[in-house]
Amino acid sequence: MKTFSTTARLREALTTDRKAGRRVAFVPTMGNLHEGHLQLVRRARELGETVVVSIFVNPLQFGANEDLDNYPRTLSADKEKLFAEGVQYLFHPTVAEMYPNGTGEQSIVSVPEVSVRHCGASRPGHFDGVSTVVTKLFQIVQPDIAVFGKKDFQQLAVIRKMAADLCMPIQIEGVNTARSTDGLALSSRNGFLSENQRRSAPLLHKTLQECREAIACGFDSYSELEHHARLSLTEAGFEPDYFSICDARTLDGVTLDTEEIVILAAAKLGDTRLIDNVTLNFNPSADWGMLAAR
Ligand code: PAF
């Protein structure tokens, strides 16, 4: 595996791969790699002949009071994991390489509608930071395929819309959320949880699953379900940010046109913000018994 910290050197290396007709599959990350990231890498290996992973903790997507400085940075362990997965290129740029004129001077890519609610409402500017850095990384790597996790469901929706709106010739691939045996979605931020918080954390996924089951059984008072979920999370020591039953395509309210529901949740346990989601195939005119919960 070769590691590059400059755009010029990575591009030079990738020219050879492209000339040889190799498809380039790209996995952008912020490092502190866990099994969830490695599943993205494995999917990238299935889809392309050359796999590029980036590790860049992007300051542009962190708010002033967020955990940029404390975000876990574990480069040498990450490198070992990527090498073991057969990754060809690691791109690990500095902040100055990515933002030579500073983040304040950076042109911004902003995706309307789908960026606005949920995490977009509680983390203003976050998705502008994500779509801007992902655009830059796409321009640098010029991948044929880019792989993202479905845990960040809204992020994936933002990137899909951005790629479509800006005619980016890149196949955007989503990979199912990797979980611990107790259901907790794997996340670099789980490492911030105390032992007690770690014991409570799987309740977020359990609450999402219970809500999905209630919908699959025909319960259609969504605001009541959302309210009940927020209440049980609060009672268990969470500070819920949102718990929303949405159309998986628009991330807005469920309508008669909804084909798939996503239930999105974000909640803080102490200082750690956890997010998760579950989906449900949905056809209100179908026999409820036929609904497939995933
Ligand atoms: O999901 C992440 O780790 C980040 O938001 C991403 C896509 C690498 C952009 O910084």
Side-chain angles (χ1 to χ4, degrees):
M1 184 176 78
K2 292 188 182 135
T3 302
F4 298 101
S5 54
T6 66
T7 301
R9 297 300 296 276
L10 175 69
R11 277 196 177 143
E12 198 186 307
L14 282 168
T15 312
T16 319
D17 293 73
R18 261 192 218 96
K19 272 194 194 135
R22 296 165 72 86
R23 276 167 310 165
V24 176
F26 175 44
V27 184
T29 80
M30 298 206 297
N32 192 234
L33 304 179
H34 51 65
E35 177 59 24
H37 295 110
L38 302 184
Q39 290 184 9
L40 306 186
V41 170
R42 284 172 210 144
R43 184 67 185 133
R45 281 199 64 186
E46 282 169 11
L47 295 171
E49 289 81 36
T50 295
V51 174
V52 183
V53 174
S54 66
I55 295 183
F56 178 62
V57 183
N58 172 35
L60 205 59
Q61 69 189 73
F62 287 78
N65 302 319
E66 293 183 352
D67 54 358
L68 173 63
D69 292 339
N70 295 334
Y71 198 84
R73 289 157 172 92
T74 51
L75 185 62
S76 52
D78 291 351
K79 275 186 175 174
E80 276 174 31
K81 290 176 188 168
L82 295 176
F83 176 73
E85 292 295 332
V87 168
Q88 284 91 342
Y89 301 123
L90 167 63
F91 183 51
H92 181 243
T94 59
V95 173
E97 176 72 12
M98 290 301 285
Y99 301 113
N101 302 314
T103 48
E105 293 284 304
Q106 172 63 48
S107 304
I108 296 297
V109 178
S110 190
V111 181
E113 297 293 334
V114 75
S115 291
V116 180
R117 286 172 293 273
H118 318 298
C119 285
S122 29
R123 303 183 67 190
H126 168 68
F127 285 120
D128 285 0
V130 170
S131 36
T132 302
V133 81
V134 171
T135 300
K136 291 186 70 132
L137 291 166
F138 281 179
Q139 292 289 87
I140 293 165
V141 177
Q142 300 187 11
D144 299 287
I145 303 126
V147 186
F148 295 86
K150 290 189 185 171
K151 179 174 89 68
D152 298 301
F153 197 92
Q154 189 176 12
Q155 169 172 282
L156 180 58
V158 167
I159 288 163
R160 281 195 199 286
K161 178 165 166 52
M162 175 186 85
D165 284 358
L166 299 180
C167 310
M168 295 175 172
I170 302 170
Q171 175 189 333
I172 307 293
E173 183 73 10
V175 171
N176 286 341
T177 305
R179 299 182 182 280
S180 299
T181 45
D182 59 12
L184 178 66
L186 299 189
S187 161
S188 300
R189 291 192 168 97
N190 292 351
F192 293 139
L193 297 170
S194 69
E195 258 177 49
N196 268 346
Q197 290 167 340
R198 177 61 189 80
R199 267 194 290 277
S200 313
L203 190 79
L204 186 61
H205 183 235
K206 192 163 169 273
T207 309
L208 284 163
Q209 280 180 308
E210 283 167 3
C211 180
R212 174 172 65 187
E213 271 156 38
I215 299 171
C217 290
F219 197 89
D220 62 359
S221 176
Y222 296 154
S223 53
E224 226 176 287
L225 285 174
E226 289 167 348
H227 176 74
H228 175 75
R230 273 195 291 264
L231 212 64
S232 9
L233 287 169
T234 308
E235 276 165 8
F238 286 80
E239 200 186 304
D241 176 1
Y242 58 80
F243 191 102
S244 307
I245 301 168
C246 306
D247 181 302
R249 201 175 41 82
T250 61
L251 304 195
D252 213 339
V254 174
T255 69
L256 286 179
D257 293 331
T258 298
E259 288 173 3
E260 189 183 24
I261 284 181
V262 62
I263 314 170
L264 299 168
K268 275 179 113 176
L269 256 184
D271 289 334
T272 308
R273 189 169 184 278
L274 302 176
I275 65 170
D276 202 351
N277 66 81
V278 294
T279 56
L280 166 77
N281 285 341
F282 183 68
N283 178 351
S285 58
D287 180 354
W288 285 108
M290 298 293 284
L291 283 172
R294 280 190 284 143

